[in-house]
Amino acid sequence: MKRRIVTVFLLVFVFSMSSFGMHKFYMAIYQINYVPEKKMLQVTSRIFVDDLDKALEKKYNKKFFFGTNKETVESLELLKKYLAENFSLKVNGQSKALNLLSKEMDGDVLVCYLSSKDISKVNTLEIYNSVLIECFEEQQNIVHVTAFNVKKSFLFTESSTKQVLKY
């Protein structure tokens, strides 16, 4: 099943890159890990920084310079606010706050590390992800979830911004 998902994803990627007209591919990748011994969810997001800059500039009417010496404390606060509005988790029906621990640049990708603590038991995990979708209707957010030694992957798009996992 995993191999099939990867194959389909690669075919879609190659096809989109070889289309008749040059068309930008809008994608971000998220990894969510449940670590029961630490009673926490760990989240890593990988978002193209130019797309994020455009979306935040459109929303907040201000320039953003993530990963440069022009980046400001206010920019970081607005990033936290934006992520909180567009990426959320509910565990067992309860909303969980995500704390932005750190961020770094990896080429042209902004990698953000988030966590949510005090999660002793997971029966259901609801994921909401609309990051960049309001700005780019072609945006695709791929989310990989690993919990209890099981990995599941989901595609979030304009028409599908919520998924629920049951354990």
Side-chain angles (χ1 to χ4, degrees):
M1 180 69 176
K2 182 178 175 183
R3 177 176 267 164
R4 184 176 286 174
I5 290 172
V6 170
T7 302
V8 169
F9 174 73
L10 288 174
L11 286 173
V12 169
F13 179 75
V14 169
F15 179 75
S16 67
M17 296 306 283
S18 63
S19 303
F20 294 107
M22 190 63 177
H23 186 267
K24 185 161 170 126
F25 190 68
Y26 296 100
M27 182 183 70
I29 298 176
Y30 301 77
Q31 176 68 49
I32 301 172
N33 295 325
Y34 176 56
V35 186
E37 52 277 359
K38 292 184 177 181
K39 296 182 179 182
M40 73 178 351
L41 287 168
Q42 299 173 332
V43 180
T44 304
S45 68
R46 301 180 61 81
I47 307 169
F48 284 107
V49 73
D50 60 336
D51 296 339
L52 183 61
D53 283 343
K54 286 177 192 170
L56 293 177
E57 182 178 344
K58 182 178 179 181
K59 181 170 179 71
Y60 298 114
N61 294 317
K62 132 180 201 57
K63 292 272 189 193
F64 289 80
F65 301 96
F66 293 114
T68 71
N69 58 0
K70 293 181 181 179
E71 181 180 323
T72 65
V73 173
E74 181 188 15
S75 296
L76 184 58
E77 291 304 313
L78 290 174
L79 172 64
K80 288 178 186 179
K81 180 179 177 184
Y82 178 80
L83 289 175
E85 291 171 357
N86 292 281
F87 183 82
S88 63
L89 301 174
K90 285 185 180 179
V91 177
N92 305 327
Q94 299 283 330
S95 292
K96 293 296 179 180
L98 286 166
N99 299 311
L100 180 62
L101 303 173
S102 65
K103 62 172 185 46
E104 65 182 347
M105 291 298 299
D106 182 11
D108 57 353
V109 172
L110 181 68
V111 182
C112 297
Y113 302 97
L114 305 107
S115 73
S116 184
K117 296 182 178 184
D118 300 323
I119 301 172
S120 57
K121 184 177 177 184
V122 177
N123 295 323
T124 61
L125 176 62
E126 181 178 311
I127 306 162
Y128 173 76
N129 189 335
S130 65
V131 175
L132 302 182
I133 290 174
E134 78 287 349
C135 192
F136 307 107
E137 64 185 32
E138 305 90 2
Q139 177 70 29
Q140 297 180 348
N141 295 324
I142 299 169
V143 177
H144 303 292
V145 180
T146 303
F148 308 109
N149 296 318
V150 176
K151 184 175 181 179
K152 299 212 177 204
S153 297
F154 300 97
L155 179 65
F156 292 79
T157 63
E158 184 178 37
S159 62
S160 175
T161 57
K162 189 188 314 182
Q163 293 286 339
V164 178
L165 288 141
K166 295 181 181 181
Y167 296 99

